[in-house]
């Protein structure tokens, strides 16, 4: 599904990714772990097409397409979802408006018919219920006045509604208490653990992986993947720290 080959990327002229290679197949969950400044968020933003994150070398193939040649909205329509460490607030636009427009824009781009208001509302309420989120919060402006945990639940609701092929989740566990962490972990499993889907889970810590068990764990250091393994590698990182494992 995703094949990254020798990817190089920079921010403001400074090279952050220095020849990163990774293959993610459909049905797999990959965890990317590493110290601060290793390039984890840069990887997510570069794949998502965030402005200011420029790929300067290498290639990325997503579901048979050259991902780097696609605009951000085209990447989304192709099935890529980028979850943020700090989901932004959008005053004046309700969650329902925001996600319905996003979903139907993607459906139109794929040649699919937009959902009617009733169809969309039924889908949105079902996803909110599954995440333990009050459906009334869907009427509120996007993330405005939400706690950190509510923002992350809301992002999982958005992901459930849109139904991407590949979810790139950047430190989704950041700022979550135990209950919210469990709810978000269960949401990722419910939405994305399926044969035609895949997840790239960027995290510092083992705790989210207690709920979302990865098939593969990769250590990212100084812009490259320096070690890969199974779920046991995350436990080793927790015990030994990044310095010992990445050496």
């Amino acid at each position: 599904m995703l094949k990254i080959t020798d990817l190089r990327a920079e921010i403001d002229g400074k090279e952050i990714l220095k020849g990163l290679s990774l293959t993610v197949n459909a049905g797999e969950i990959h965890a990317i772990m590493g110290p601060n400044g290793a390039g984890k968020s840069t990887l997510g933003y570069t794949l998502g097409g965030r402005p200011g994150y420029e790929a300067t070398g290498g290639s990325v193939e997503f579901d048979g397409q050259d991902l780097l040649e696609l605009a951000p909205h085209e990447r989304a329509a192709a099935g890529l979802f980028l979850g943020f460490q700090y989901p932004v607030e959008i005053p004046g636009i309700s969650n329902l408006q925001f996600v319905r427009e996003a979903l139907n824009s993607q459906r139109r781009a794929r040649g699919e018919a937009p959902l009617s208001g009733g169809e969309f509302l039924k889908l949105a309420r079902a996803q909110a219920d599954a995440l333990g989120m009050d459906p009334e919060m869907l009427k509120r402006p996007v993330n405005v006045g939400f706690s950190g945990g509510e923002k992350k639940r809301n992002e999982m609701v958005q992901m459930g509604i849109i139904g991407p092929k590949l979810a790139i989740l950047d430190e989704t566990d950041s700022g979550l208490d135990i209950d919210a962490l469990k709810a978000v972990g269960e949401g990722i499993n419910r939405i994305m653990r399926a044969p035609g889907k895949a997840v790239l889970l960027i995290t510092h810590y083992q705790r989210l992986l207690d709920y979302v068990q990865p098939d593969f764990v990769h250590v990212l250091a100084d812009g490259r993947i320096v070690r890969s393994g199974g779920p046991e590698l995350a436990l080793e990182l927790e015990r030994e720290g990044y310095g010992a494992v990445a050496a």
Side-chain angles (χ1 to χ4, degrees), residues 5 15 28 38 40 63 66 69 72 84 90 99-100 110 120 138 147 156 162 188 190 205-206 215 217 228 233 243 247:
T5 305
E15 189 174 53
E28 295 177 348
K40 300 186 302 299
D63 212 20
D66 183 347
E69 288 297 315
F84 294 96
I90 309 178
V99 186
R100 184 184 179 192
R110 295 192 294 262
F120 175 78
L138 294 171
S147 68
M156 291 299 102
I162 291 172
I188 295 170
R190 178 179 56 81
Y205 305 111
Q206 159 67 29
D215 299 290
V217 175
S228 298
L233 179 54

Side-chain angles (χ1 to χ4, degrees), residues 184-223:
V184 167
E186 290 174 348
I188 295 170
N189 288 327
R190 178 179 56 81
I191 298 165
M192 298 302 301
R193 194 174 284 282
K197 298 178 180 290
V199 179
L200 196 58
L201 195 61
I202 298 169
T203 183
H204 276 298
Y205 305 111
Q206 159 67 29
R207 63 179 197 152
L208 179 58
L209 306 186
D210 289 335
Y211 298 99
V212 185
Q213 186 174 69
D215 299 290
F216 302 95
V217 175
H218 310 279
V219 181
L220 180 58
D222 193 29

Side-chain angles (χ1 to χ4, degrees), residues 78-135:
L80 188 149
F81 179 92
L82 177 60
F84 294 96
Q85 181 178 0
Y86 303 108
V88 298
E89 298 182 3
I90 309 178
I93 300 177
S94 75
N95 275 298
L96 288 173
Q97 290 174 298
F98 175 74
V99 186
R100 184 184 179 192
E101 182 58 34
L103 174 62
N104 282 337
S105 292
Q106 291 184 23
R107 290 177 67 88
R108 283 191 291 268
R110 295 192 294 262
E112 301 169 1
L115 293 187
S116 68
E119 290 171 329
F120 175 78
L121 192 58
K122 182 178 180 180
L123 173 61
R125 285 176 172 166
Q127 292 298 327
D129 287 343
L131 264 295
M133 178 176 160
D134 185 347

Side-chain angles (χ1 to χ4, degrees), residues 31-34 40-41 83-87 148-153 155-156 168-185 188 200-212 234 238 242:
I32 302 289
M33 304 182 75
K40 300 186 302 299
S41 292
F84 294 96
Q85 181 178 0
Y86 303 108
E150 288 171 339
K151 288 180 179 179
K152 297 299 176 69
R153 286 177 192 254
E155 194 167 59
M156 291 299 102
I168 302 170
L169 304 177
D170 185 15
E171 298 195 32
T172 296
D173 53 342
S174 177
L176 298 184
D177 61 24
I178 296 299
D179 291 337
L181 181 67
K182 182 179 179 181
V184 167
I188 295 170
L200 196 58
L201 195 61
I202 298 169
T203 183
H204 276 298
Y205 305 111
Q206 159 67 29
R207 63 179 197 152
L208 179 58
L209 306 186
D210 289 335
Y211 298 99
V212 185
E238 195 81 1
Y242 292 114

